Structures are given as C-alpha cells and as structure tokens.
Amino acid sequence: MSRQFFEELGSHKEKNRLHAAHGLITEILGDDESGQKLSYSLKRLIQGLASGRKSSRIGFSLALTELLSQLFSPVDTRLERAGLRFDWILDVLKSSTKPETGSSGQDVKDRYIGRLFGLEALLTASLQHKSFSSFEQEKLLTMLFELTQEKSWMQAQCLWTLFSSLSRCPEPLARSIISHTRTYGLEKTPGGVALYLKACEIFGHSILKGSHWRHDDPLDRSNFQILAKVMREVTMVDHDSNPSIPDRTDTGSWTSKLHFAWEIVLTTIDQRSASSASSDLFQIFWMTVVDESLFGDHASSERKLWGFRLIPYALGLNIAEKSVILSGPKFMRSLINHISSSDRSLHKSSQLTVSAILQMVTESRLHPIDFLSPILSSGPGPTFDAATNSKTLEKLLSAVDETNWKPVIEALQISICVPKIDETKAIELWRQRSADLLVTICRRLAKKGVEDGVAAIMDFVIQSGYSKNPSALRNVSLQPCLSTLSQAMFREKLFSILGHQCSSKAVQATSLPYIAVLQIHTISKNEDGLVIVTDRKLRNAQKRSIKTCKKVQKRIQKNGLASEPRLEASLLFLSTTILLLLNGDADSLSLLEELRDCLEDYFELGHFGALFNFVTEALLSLLSKPSVFLRGVAGVIFEAFAGDMNQDSMESIAKVIIYATAVLTAPENVKGQQAMFDEDMDVDSDDLMELDKDSGNGSFGSDVEVEQLDPGQNETPDSSSDSDVGPTDGEKNNEAEKALDLALSKVLGANLDENVKGDNADDLSDMDDDQMMELDNKIVNIFQESKASKSKRSENKMAKELIISFKMRVLDLVRIFFKTQSTNWLTLQLVQPLLELMRTTRHKDLGNRVAEILRQFSAQCTKEKTFPSIDNVEATWTILSAVHSEVTHDASTAHNSICSTMSLFLVKSLVALDRKHVDRAIDIYANTWKSWLLTKGCRIQPKFFSDFVNWSYSAAGRLQN
C-alpha cells in the first residue's frame, strides 16, 4: 500500500487531499481478499484523526467517511469476510483517541477532537445506508454523548454533529437523541434547545413530550426567562421542579463566536410570531432573551460582545420583524456608551456593529427607518452623531431614496413634534437637529428628483415656521408647542432648502419659492393666521404681489419655460422678495413694490426695459444679505438677464459690472463698508450683530453664509494691502492693555508696576468719601472708554467679514457674466479691477477666486477660438497698459502669473482684430521691460516676459504670412 497517499492526506491543499483519498480508497477496495490490508487502513485512518499535522484531521476524516460509506453498503461484504464488526471500529476509535496519562493539554484536545471526527464519520456512513441496528446506533450515541461530558468545550461541537444529522435520522433514532439529551443534562443548553426545536420541526411536537420545559416547548412564552439564561450559556439545573435552585456556570471556557443555536431559535420564534394570534411574541422574546439578558445592567462585557455580534447576525437572517431587533433600549444605551468612547473595551465591536447595520441599509437589505427609529428614541436622539462622535446618522440618511423616504420623514416630524426630553434648552436643540436632518434628506431627494418628498418636507417646514398654531395642521400634537425661537429656526430652514435647490439648479427649483409663497398665503387665510405680525400696508403689498406672481405664472405656462427664461427669473425674484417680507424684512417692501411695478409695465408694454434698469440695484441688495438662498437667486436672475443681452439692455447690465469694479477694490474695514453700502444700501449695526451671531452657527442646515477669516490660512506672506496694514490682533490687545494701565496710573497717582504696587496701596486709605466718589467715577469712565475701544475693534472685524462676503458674491456674478458673455467687450473692462483686488486683498480665498475666474475665462476663449468683440480699441490698449502697471507692483507669484495670462489674452484679442496691433503690443512690453531694468522697486517675475516670447515664437508663422 502506498504510504504517499497517507502523507498527502495531511496536505493543506484541498486538491491534493482529494486525490490522495480517491487513490487510497481505490487501492483498498481493489483488493477483495486482503482483510489484513483493510484492518490496517482503517486503524491508520482512525489514528490520523488525532493528528495535529497540517490538515491531517480533515484529510483522514474525508477518507474514513468515504471508505465507511462504501463498506457499510448492504451489498458490500468485505467487513464481514475480514471479521471486522461495528464494535471493533468503535473500540479502535476509543483506544486510538484516548488521552494518555500526563498528556499535554494540546494532545488531549487533539485526541478528543479526533474522536468526534471519527464518530461523525460513523454516523454519516450509518445514516447513508441505514444499515445499523438499534443496538449499534445506541452505542454510537452513548459514546458521542459521553464525549460531551469529558470536556465542556466539546459540548457545542458534539451537539452540532447531532443537530446537522437530525434531518437524515429516522424517527426512532431522533427520539433516542432527544432522550439522551435529557439523560445527560443537556436539555437546557443552547445545543439542547437547538436539537429540540429541530426535532419538533421535523417530527412534530409530540417528540418533545416529557421534557423539563414548560409545555414541552423551549419557546413557550413562560420559558423566556429560563431561555435567556440558557442562551447566554448559563448551565441550568432543573428549574421546573424547584425554581429556587441556583444556576451554575461551568462552561469551562468562553468563546467570542456565537452559538449555532441562535439561528434556529430566531427563525423559529419569528415564524411562530407571524402565524400566531399574538403578534408581539417576537418582540417579547427579543426584549427578554436578548436585550435584557445580553445588554442588561449587570451583563458582562463578554455577554455584550455576543449581543453586538448577534445584532447584525440576526438582521442577516430571513426574519420579518427586523425593526424589533434594533429597538431594544438597553442595546441602544450600550451602543451609545461604547461607541462614544475609545477607552471602552467594546468600542471597536460597537463600531463594527454600526458599520454592518449601515452596510445592510446601503444594500437595501434593511430599511433606514429600522435603525432611525431607535436612534431617535434614544437619549441623544437627533444629536446622536455629536454624542457618539460618529457620522452614523449622516451615513444612514444617505440611503434615503424614492422608495423609502416617507417613513423616514414621518419619524423626524414626530421627533420634532414630541421630543423625548423635558428641558427647554435641550428641546430647542433637539428640534433644530431634527430639522437639520430633514433638510439633509430634502437635498438628497431633490438630487434624485423626488418631488413629492421635497414638497412634503417643505410643507412641514412652512407650517412649523409660519403658522401661529402649527398643531392644528398636523395629525400629531405638539408637546410642547413650538417656541418663537424654533419657529424662526424653521423659517431659516426653508431658506436653506430653497437655497440648495437654486444653487444645484434642480428641476423646477426656481418655482419652489413661488410654491412656498402660495402655501404661506393659504396659512394666512386660516383662523389662526401667521405667526409673523404685519401691518395693513405690508399685507396689502403682499396680496398685490401674489396676484402679480399668479399673472407671471400663467404667462409662463402659456409660453413655456424654455421660451422665456427671464420671465421665470422674474417670478423667482418676486417670490423671493415676498418671502423676505413675510420673514419680517421691512426693507424689502420698497424693493417689492418697485419690482411689482416693473412687471406690471412688462404686461402692459410687452418688454423688460424697466425691469433691466431695476435689476442693477436689486441684485446688489440681495447680495448684501448673508444668505445662500439669496446668493443662488441672484445668480439665477443674473444669468437669465445676461444670457440674452442686446444693445438696449447692455447699459443696464453694465451698471452691475461698473458697480462691481468699485466694490472689488473697497477697503476691507469699516470705511470700506461705508463706502460700499452708504450709496445704495442700508446695512445697520443690528444687521452686523446678527451677521456676527449667525457666523458662529455650525448647523449644516443653516442658510446664513459668511466668509470666515483665518489669519493663519487666508493671509498670504507675500501679499500686501493698503487697507489692512497694521498691527496684529495680539499687538493691538497689548497696546490697549498698556493704555489702560497708563490711564489708571494717572488717576490713582501711583505706578502700577508689580514691584511697587504694594507700597502705594496704603495711599488710598487717607481719601475722604467725596474723593473716593470722584476717583470711582474716573475709573468707571476709563473702563467705559476701554470697552468702547474693544467694541470698535469688534466692529472692524465684523465689517471685514461682511465686505469679504459681499465681494465673494459679486465675484460669483462676475463668473457667470464671464462664462455666458465671453465675447462681450464688457468682460475686458473687469480685468484690471480684478487684478487689483487679487493684489490688495489679504484674504487668500478672494485672490484664488479671482485667479480662477480669469484663468477659466482665458481658457474658455482659447478653447472656443473666440475673443471678446472689441468695441473701443483705444480703451482696450488702456486696459493692457493698466495690466502692465499692475504687474510692476510688489505682489505674489500667483498675481504675476495671472497678469501675464491676461496680458497675453488682451494681446491675442487685439492681434485677432488687426495683426498690425502687434507693433504696439511689442512697444508696451518693451517699456515694461525697461521699467523692470531701470526703476527701483519694480519687481516683475521673468516669466512675464518669457511667456510673451514663447507666444511670439508660436505666432510668428501666422503673422509673417
């Protein structure tokens, strides 16, 4: 017999093991007369089961199982002829796998596992041909159940062998297995429960008659408390006869792996819950056996680890009531506690559990509401992400789509209406975060084109923000009622939703403000009315404007959106202004009246002449407000009117651009603020204070947008600004403190230096009451002046933020104008002020935005091989000279580079108009070169000239022909 086959049975490669097993069995069965060879082979294969070499146990078990299956066939008589009976095989197996005295722990483990593999091979072979007598089967079962008593860690493996074989067993053998389970005290173990449930499923409930479970059913509701202990592997004594007998935990060793019994327990109880009259059976089971048992107050970390692993395992099964699995309050409490702190022992396990749940939601195997509902019912509720320092809610809501949005929105609405907390401040935060989540979902649904979902969220937000009695408009009563602060927050969320829609250019986004206006107008007609109190003048203006909106909408429906985008933009403009008025912005009244009059002129005269002239001032008025929504509205309106310019409208649009040139170079301080806004707009101190307050709002659903200044990032080291040169904030604070000390020293008549402060302290004790009062007044005045100085610095800071924010918005309009009107000569007039802004600002983002706009403009014209139509050649030469003047200033490398780009662009535009212009262009470059060489302080990067030389080289061929 080839020994090579036995060697290859231990190979790690499955292909080698299969080849060896096939070769060995073929050789053994090929010799019908050799009983000695057969007995040797069986002994060798049984002994190999206890080997720990490579994969020997797997290979030898495979060969033994297949060999016994052939030998136990009713038509095979080899065992009989060789005198090898079933008892002989059991004796060889028992003797070969019996641990010797003084054996190591690993050797004992190998031998017992080898015995289990041998018994499994015998059981498999016997069940295949059903050729064993009841006596032989009884001996096999006895040996297998005795093995469960040898070592506690063998219990689960032995019972799994019986469990997996039960479906092939005849009923008498199955009854014998159940009887042995009861006899060996394994009835109230996880494996015993699994055997009972499997036998009951196959052979009926009668097979369990006489068990120690109440009603002969482990899953009977009366057994749940005992089952909870069994499933957490607390070995039970007979509680049926005496419930007061204490438990004992002698499982011997703990493993993090879930017991195989959980699958049949969960699937069986789920099926019973679906078919029984008691629909809450699964929920009662889960709360008792899992939530309270594995996540209870006194549950160990090991039990909680089982719980965290059981959750995704149970969700992966074919269970109908998956929402119950995540609804356990003690599970959520444990999850929050462990996931929020990296110091917790189960922090990683809780993260893996959440990741597995989110993965199922992403793959549509779990509805988002199944996880969202327990989160909203937990302590943190909508602040779950902040409390756990995770992005769980963010990732969960990213799975909301057109198929599952309704229950998610309803859950958030209920969370807003009935918060799970009592403290007033906490309720405000709870509702704000819930509203933030609604806004997030609305944005996602808008991207997917789910108009019904967007409309449902907008309706809820509008009712919450504008109705005086929101509870009358919902099926769920408010507990407590919305505060004034909450309703103001909802009005802000409406602007946030509308702003995202406009900026993303979603389908029908421009009509949403009009829809919102109509809904608010409907609320105003109700008995309770609007929460915002307005006088009769404002109400009349609102009604007249809504009538004009309806006329515009009818005209749009008649002509179609594509035929008149300016009319659609006009409806957007009018609806937005009405919303501003409804939000209490009284300054919008004059804007609304003038806009309405312009539209009435359009209906009467049939053209937009008056509206063009009005757009100039109105757009800048919108841009002055720190709102994403208004910024998007301004962009849509500007693009609509700039996209179809003619000679009559050019002057109106030019006013916006001309005003922009003045704005772009305004100093970024209070003087610059006054220079910007005194002429056309009122921005009072209350607006600035509101801006400062809103700029610190970290809510991702906020509509307020302010450009934040970070001196460490936004101030470039190689840039300079005429308006911002001065000491840093720290230096200013030190100077202020020194001035305060000096003023106090003059009043007190003493040196406040630390070394002599104590010596002069007694001088104040000789002063009478009048002198003390006079001194007190002087000190009060000094501190008031110091406070006023600090307030002025704060005002300068807020003004700087406001100016930069406004400049950003004007640059957005400039970007749109450059993109849509690249052939318009007006674009060239903006080049020099844009370069000046890039050089003078200390805000890095502003400079980068300017460079990006000009670079994209040049690239677009070059790609399309089109240049602006030059209406005034001499003025264009003046612009080129201004660019060359800009480059001579001491500025950044980026500024020098973009100056070179725009200079070449202007040269290309002039040469494209007339190639003779190249002479004058060379002269301008020559003069700049001369200034670079001869003028002190003129710092130009050499690249400025090399770019022109490179262009000259490439253009020489075309110019010479």
Side-chain angles (χ1 to χ4, degrees), residues 98 148 246 404 717:
K98 182 179 180 180
T148 65
N404 55 27

Side-chain angles (χ1 to χ4, degrees), residues 96-122:
S96 299
T97 57
K98 182 179 180 180
E100 298 177 357
T101 305
S103 299
S104 65
Q106 183 61 44
D107 183 62
V108 172
K109 182 177 181 181
D110 288 338
R111 289 179 180 272
Y112 280 138
I113 293 177
R115 182 179 299 183
L116 175 61
F117 271 69
L119 292 172
E120 184 177 7
L122 283 169

Side-chain angles (χ1 to χ4, degrees), residues 26-272:
T26 302
E27 184 176 340
I28 294 173
L29 298 180
D31 190 352
D32 292 340
E33 303 300 328
S34 179
Q36 185 178 1
K37 181 185 292 187
L38 181 59
S39 63
Y40 170 78
S41 300
L42 286 173
K43 286 182 179 179
R44 182 73 183 272
L45 289 174
I46 291 173
Q47 291 170 355
L49 297 176
S51 173
R53 182 181 65 88
K54 296 184 180 180
S55 298
S56 294
R57 188 174 293 117
I58 298 175
F60 279 78
S61 173
L62 171 67
L64 179 62
T65 302
E66 185 59 30
L67 179 59
L68 290 176
S69 297
Q70 297 285 343
L71 295 174
F72 288 159
S73 173
V75 297
D76 197 302
T77 60
R78 291 182 182 85
L79 285 175
E80 224 176 289
R81 293 200 307 268
L84 304 177
R85 295 183 174 275
F86 181 79
D87 291 341
W88 178 84
I89 298 176
L90 282 181
D91 290 341
V92 172
L93 176 62
K94 191 170 185 178
S95 61
S96 299
T97 57
K98 182 179 180 180
E100 298 177 357
T101 305
S103 299
S104 65
Q106 183 61 44
D107 183 62
V108 172
K109 182 177 181 181
D110 288 338
R111 289 179 180 272
Y112 280 138
I113 293 177
R115 182 179 299 183
L116 175 61
F117 271 69
L119 292 172
E120 184 177 7
L122 283 169
L123 182 61
T124 302
S126 67
L127 292 176
Q128 182 175 351
H129 299 291
K130 297 181 175 58
S131 58
F132 283 10
S133 65
S134 58
F135 177 74
E136 292 172 334
Q137 291 177 344
E138 192 72 19
K139 293 188 69 174
L140 176 61
L141 290 180
T142 300
M143 191 171 177
L144 188 56
F145 274 96
E146 286 178 349
L147 186 58
T148 65
Q149 307 300 305
E150 294 289 349
K151 293 292 180 180
S152 58
W153 44 264
M154 288 298 299
Q155 184 184 108
Q157 285 76 10
C158 293
L159 294 179
W160 165 251
T161 299
L162 293 168
F163 176 82
S164 58
S165 303
L166 200 58
S167 60
R168 294 171 288 157
C169 292
E171 185 170 347
L173 181 58
R175 289 185 178 276
S176 180
I177 292 174
I178 296 299
S179 176
H180 278 76
T181 304
R182 192 176 305 142
T183 301
Y184 283 88
L186 301 176
E187 189 177 28
K188 292 184 179 179
T189 62
V193 172
L195 282 174
Y196 271 42
L197 295 179
K198 188 71 172 180
C200 181
E201 177 186 321
I202 299 173
F203 303 103
H205 189 267
S206 61
I207 199 173
L208 303 182
K209 189 174 181 179
S211 72
H212 293 148
W213 289 98
R214 295 190 184 102
H215 307 292
D216 296 327
D217 184 7
L219 294 186
D220 187 82
R221 187 176 304 197
S222 60
N223 291 320
F224 282 171
Q225 290 292 343
I226 298 176
L227 183 63
K229 295 182 179 181
V230 170
M231 294 309 294
R232 67 172 185 261
E233 300 191 21
V234 175
T235 304
M236 303 293 296
V237 183
D238 186 7
H239 280 263
D240 188 47
S241 58
N242 190 354
S244 64
I245 297 178
D247 304 328
R248 57 187 177 88
T249 56
D250 58 352
T251 53
S253 62
W254 177 85
T255 175
S256 61
K257 186 178 180 181
L258 289 174
H259 200 282
F260 72 88
W262 277 110
E263 180 177 359
I264 190 169
V265 170
L266 292 174
T267 53
T268 304
I269 194 67
D270 180 64
Q271 293 169 1
R272 293 189 185 183

Side-chain angles (χ1 to χ4, degrees), residues 245-538:
I245 297 178
D247 304 328
R248 57 187 177 88
T249 56
D250 58 352
T251 53
S253 62
W254 177 85
T255 175
S256 61
K257 186 178 180 181
L258 289 174
H259 200 282
F260 72 88
W262 277 110
E263 180 177 359
I264 190 169
V265 170
L266 292 174
T267 53
T268 304
I269 194 67
D270 180 64
Q271 293 169 1
R272 293 189 185 183
S273 179
S275 59
S276 67
S278 179
S279 58
D280 62 344
L281 181 63
F282 186 85
Q283 183 176 8
I284 296 174
F285 161 82
W286 186 266
M287 295 303 165
T288 304
V289 179
V290 178
D291 194 59
E292 295 179 4
S293 178
L294 299 182
F295 296 104
D297 297 337
H298 302 292
S300 63
S301 297
E302 291 79 9
R303 299 298 185 265
K304 288 181 180 179
L305 176 59
W306 278 348
F308 283 135
R309 293 192 172 184
L310 179 62
I311 295 295
Y313 176 78
L315 291 173
L317 299 175
N318 188 22
I319 294 178
E321 300 188 49
K322 292 186 176 181
S323 59
V324 176
I325 295 174
L326 297 172
S327 63
K330 294 187 177 181
F331 157 67
M332 286 303 303
R333 184 190 61 188
S334 297
L335 182 69
I336 293 169
N337 289 339
H338 286 280
I339 201 174
S340 59
S341 174
S342 58
D343 297 332
R344 294 272 187 162
S345 58
L346 299 180
H347 176 69
K348 187 65 176 180
S349 299
S350 60
Q351 286 182 322
L352 292 174
T353 299
V354 171
S355 299
I357 295 172
L358 294 176
Q359 182 66 24
M360 292 181 187
V361 173
T362 304
E363 296 172 356
S364 300
R365 293 190 288 148
L366 185 67
H367 199 292
I369 193 63
D370 292 337
F371 195 27
L372 179 63
S373 291
I375 287 178
L376 294 179
S377 299
S378 65
T383 63
F384 184 88
D385 283 359
T388 59
N389 194 25
S390 66
K391 295 184 178 180
T392 304
L393 277 175
E394 179 182 336
K395 294 177 181 178
L396 180 63
L397 297 184
S398 66
V400 177
D401 54 26
E402 61 276 6
T403 63
N404 55 27
W405 61 269
K406 286 186 178 180
V408 174
I409 291 177
E410 290 174 0
L412 288 172
Q413 290 175 349
I414 293 174
S415 175
I416 292 171
C417 295
V418 189
K420 304 296 182 181
I421 47 180
D422 299 325
E423 187 181 353
T424 303
K425 291 184 178 180
I427 289 174
E428 299 292 343
L429 179 61
W430 182 290
R431 284 174 165 166
Q432 180 180 348
R433 292 294 178 259
S434 298
D436 289 339
L437 297 177
L438 274 179
V439 172
T440 301
I441 295 174
C442 186
R443 292 175 177 178
R444 180 169 180 81
L445 294 179
K447 289 181 180 179
K448 291 182 172 292
V450 187
E451 297 180 7
D452 292 344
V454 175
I457 295 175
M458 278 189 57
D459 179 66
F460 181 85
V461 171
I462 289 171
Q463 291 179 15
S464 301
Y466 291 89
S467 177
K468 187 178 294 185
N469 185 16
S471 60
L473 303 175
R474 296 187 187 88
N475 296 327
V476 181
S477 59
L478 287 165
Q479 298 175 0
C481 293
L482 290 175
S483 65
T484 303
L485 185 62
S486 291
Q487 291 200 291
M489 177 269 296
F490 275 108
R491 293 194 292 272
E492 181 184 341
K493 298 307 174 190
L494 174 63
F495 272 50
S496 179
I497 292 172
L498 297 176
H500 181 267
Q501 297 288 77
C502 286
S503 60
S504 63
K505 297 183 179 180
V507 179
Q508 297 184 343
T510 54
S511 63
L512 288 180
Y514 172 65
I515 296 173
V517 167
L518 294 182
Q519 289 180 339
I520 297 172
H521 184 59
T522 302
I523 294 174
S524 66
K525 294 179 181 180
N526 295 332
E527 181 179 352
D528 296 315
L530 295 175
V531 69
I532 300 175
V533 180
T534 56
D535 56 27
R536 179 174 296 180
K537 182 178 179 182
L538 294 179

